[in-house]
Amino acid sequence: MTMATPTSSTTTMLDDFLVRAALAGGGLAVATGPLGSFVVWRRMAYFGDATAHAAILGVALALLFSAPVTLGTLVVSLAMGGAVSWLSMRGHAMDSTLGVLSHSALALGLVAISFVPGVRVDLSAFLFGDILAVTRPDLVVIWGGAALVGGLLLWRWSRLLTATLSPDLAVASGISPAREQLVLTLALALVVALALKVVGALLIAAMLIIPASAARSLARTPEAMALGAIGVGIVAALGGLAASFYADTPAGPSVVAVAAAIFLVSALIRR
Amino acid sequence: MSLLTATDLSLSFGGQAVLEHVSIAIEPGEIVTLVGPNGSGKSTLVKTLIGLTAPDAGRITRKPGLRLGYVPQKLPIDATLPMTVARFLNLPKRQPKPQIAQALADTGSQGLEQKQLSALSGGQLQRVVLARALLSEPELLILDEPTQGLDQPGEAAFYQLLERIRDARGCAVFMVSHDLHVVMSASDRVICLNHHVCCEGTPHVVRDAPEYRALFGPGTGGALALYQHEHDHSHDDGHAHEQHHDHA
């Protein structure tokens, strides 16, 4: 980590690890806010968990084949998302199936990582994230991915919303619920790949569900809830980083803990 | 030409025949009521006509570019999804405000724009879903048991509403009724389904008879009528239709 003397240029500002961490958290919130809203509306929480846990297997495979970690994560998460979508469309009882898939992927990934030769792998960085070690290339991946996910959801917004409200009404309007499900699966795999560095595989689902749930109580329209979730995500990222900086707590879990605190407050306001 | 033609539809679930060689056609501007006992395949037929379920055999032909409005039997509203009536009516396509106000007024739900869907009563939700269907300027409205859960005056009021909409907009209406014998009096045709089309006819309008008044009570304004089934066949399993539903 190079700690340059602060001057007025952007380059040196990005040299500050805290600024990079804040930008990473903010970028992630832009993607998890709207996507997390769909995860809440469609009751896909376990679906998100399974996809995120599969990321560890992706990390292991990427290390074994000397491929970029983000690519490995993306491919395996996409495969898991596709498998789960396929099973749910065939009418499988999803609760236990998702539990089996989610934990199998996590266990297999942890076993596979132990086979990676040579360098000792910092497992906790993949499980809980390492937001303070985000590099400038990481920021490009996170913001690029967030823009991609945001753009994808914005493009399909009306169709996604109609299919979420009622698959029957969607079909009658000429919308294919299966195709919209595929869009969400793709977006979820992308978010998992870019969130791995920030909050880690175990807490990605938390960043999807908690900000969106916190925004629910004050929102009157789906759009307000998605934007509110982005806002909660950004505040949580900044608050978590501040806590981590001043109280020396682990950054990723601190971000999630702040989001949980906001959720608690919003739930109390609602009463 | 017919708006929608189904020819020789057959469909089975797990070896159980649900639809057997069903053929129907819906003409512009007509009101068709579909009746049949529970489990006779009414909802499945509707889902097949709309394209939610593919038939095992048979063909569905739509008039090219047919504009179809659909009102499902139930719209489950998830409490996690915040949705105002106005936002709902703008799905999936944005609609001009005056059109939305008009559709709400036409269905007797004016002023509900800012209400949450989850805060509506069953009857209100039904009318709002109907208003959404009207926004696509449908040539054919398909409704699946729209009056289920309404009392008879409520049912009569809903039928009067549908008749006004048909008269004002000229759209055809294809409606599933949960009642075998009491149907919308403005129906041009009643089709009775029990996996296959059992009989087809016009409702028996007896609005002036004192027995009718006694049967339906005041306040139904002639919107309800009896349907006399004329089954001239018995099923392969030996049951005559009379055993499934005795005549009123």
Side-chain angles (χ1 to χ4, degrees):
Chain A
M1 180 100 23
T2 48
M3 293 290 290
T5 348
T7 62
S8 58
S9 87
T10 325
T11 325
T12 43
M13 194 187 87
L14 282 177
D15 282 340
D16 189 327
F17 71 98
L18 267 184
V19 172
R20 287 198 305 269
L23 284 173
L28 183 62
V30 168
T32 52
L35 182 62
S37 299
F38 278 109
V39 169
V40 169
W41 297 331
R42 298 168 74 101
R43 308 192 173 256
M44 289 166 67
Y46 279 112
F47 187 107
D49 247 351
T51 312
H53 287 175
I56 290 295
L57 188 58
V59 170
L61 292 177
L63 292 176
L64 282 170
F65 293 102
S66 313
V69 167
T70 307
L71 183 69
T73 318
L74 187 62
V75 168
V76 176
S77 296
L78 207 52
M80 174 62 96
V84 171
S85 289
W86 184 73
L87 284 173
S88 75
M89 266 184 273
R90 290 172 55 94
H92 276 253
M94 287 316 282
D95 188 49
S96 48
T97 311
L98 279 175
V100 170
L101 285 172
S102 163
H103 296 106
S104 310
L106 185 60
L108 273 177
L110 294 173
V111 169
I113 278 190
S114 74
F115 285 113
V116 176
V119 289
R120 199 173 53 83
V121 180
D122 179 11
L123 198 56
S124 81
F126 293 116
L127 288 176
F128 301 110
D130 198 0
I131 190 172
L132 298 177
V134 163
T135 62
R136 266 190 258 176
D138 287 338
L139 276 184
V140 171
V141 170
I142 289 171
W143 276 94
L148 203 60
V149 170
L152 186 65
L153 294 183
L154 213 54
W155 172 43
R156 313 290 300 186
W157 189 259
S158 259
R159 278 168 281 197
L160 282 167
L161 213 49
T162 310
T164 298
L165 185 76
S166 160
D168 288 7
L169 284 185
V171 171
S173 300
I175 296 163
S176 156
R179 188 181 304 145
E180 303 313 318
Q181 168 79 29
L182 198 65
V183 168
L184 286 179
T185 305
L186 182 65
L188 199 56
L190 275 167
V191 162
V192 165
L194 61 95
L196 190 66
K197 183 100 186 187
V198 181
V199 286
L202 293 184
L203 293 174
I204 291 171
M207 282 312 282
L208 286 168
I209 295 156
I210 300 177
S213 300
R216 167 64 187 102
S217 48
L218 302 172
R220 292 185 42 80
T221 60
E223 290 75 17
M225 178 162 155
L227 289 174
I230 294 178
V232 172
I234 291 174
V235 172
L238 297 179
L241 283 172
S244 171
F245 185 74
Y246 290 111
D248 200 24
T249 54
S254 303
V255 171
V256 174
V258 172
I262 298 174
F263 169 76
L264 199 63
V265 171
S266 82
L268 290 175
I269 290 174
R270 195 183 195 177
R271 276 169 182 271
Chain B
M1 87 179 272
S2 303
L3 297 176
L4 188 72
T5 312
T7 318
D8 211 18
L9 294 184
S10 291
L11 178 65
S12 49
F13 289 134
Q16 196 82 24
V18 182
L19 299 177
E20 292 171 316
H21 306 290
V22 174
S23 295
I24 59 167
I26 303 164
E27 306 303 326
E30 69 170 346
I31 297 179
V32 180
T33 295
L34 183 73
V35 299
N38 283 335
S40 59
K42 298 184 303 265
S43 279
T44 305
L45 178 58
V46 166
K47 283 188 192 313
T48 311
L49 293 180
I50 284 166
L52 284 166
T53 310
D56 295 337
R59 211 174 58 245
I60 293 167
T61 328
R62 288 183 180 192
K63 189 196 116 179
L66 175 74
R67 292 188 307 275
L68 191 138
Y70 174 51
V71 179
Q73 192 171 357
K74 259 208 181 104
L75 185 66
I77 301 296
D78 194 309
T80 62
L81 178 60
M83 181 77 75
T84 59
V85 169
R87 186 69 192 90
F88 172 65
L89 296 179
N90 277 305
L91 278 178
K93 278 200 194 79
R94 292 247 164 226
Q95 305 284 345
K97 264 200 171 135
Q99 249 99 310
I100 286 186
Q102 185 62 48
L104 284 175
D106 283 355
T107 54
S109 16
Q110 52 272 59
L112 289 182
E113 279 96 334
Q114 293 313 312
K115 279 248 183 193
Q116 288 286 313
L117 282 191
S118 52
L120 299 180
S121 72
Q124 281 176 322
L125 184 60
Q126 192 73 41
R127 285 158 188 261
V128 165
V129 176
L130 177 61
R132 179 185 171 275
L134 292 181
L135 282 168
S136 61
E137 306 252 307
E139 295 159 276
L140 170 60
L141 260 181
I142 295 187
L143 305 96
D144 193 357
E145 303 205 11
T147 57
Q148 205 186 33
L150 300 182
D151 56 10
Q152 271 191 342
E155 183 178 11
F158 192 82
Y159 287 161
Q160 283 162 346
L161 173 67
L162 270 184
E163 193 179 350
R164 279 203 304 276
I165 287 170
R166 193 274 304 260
D167 293 345
R169 296 174 178 248
C171 60
V173 175
F174 181 78
M175 173 174 46
V176 176
S177 165
H178 65 283
D179 196 312
L180 267 172
H181 304 293
V182 181
V183 299
M184 178 176 179
S185 61
S187 304
D188 296 296
R189 284 191 291 147
V190 178
I191 297 172
C192 173
L193 185 79
N194 193 4
H195 305 302
H196 61 282
V197 175
C198 284
C199 67
E200 193 175 329
T202 50
H204 190 47
V205 181
V206 284
R207 65 181 77 183
D208 297 324
E211 298 92 327
Y212 171 86
R213 293 204 184 283
L215 185 59
F216 296 132
T220 52
L224 305 179
L226 294 175
Y227 176 64
Q228 186 80 37
H229 293 257
E230 286 177 15
H231 301 154
D232 51 4
H233 64 282
S234 61
H235 288 153
D236 299 341
D237 55 9
H239 290 292
H241 279 272
E242 320 307 313
Q243 284 165 282
H244 292 285
H245 43 85
D246 38 299
H247 291 159

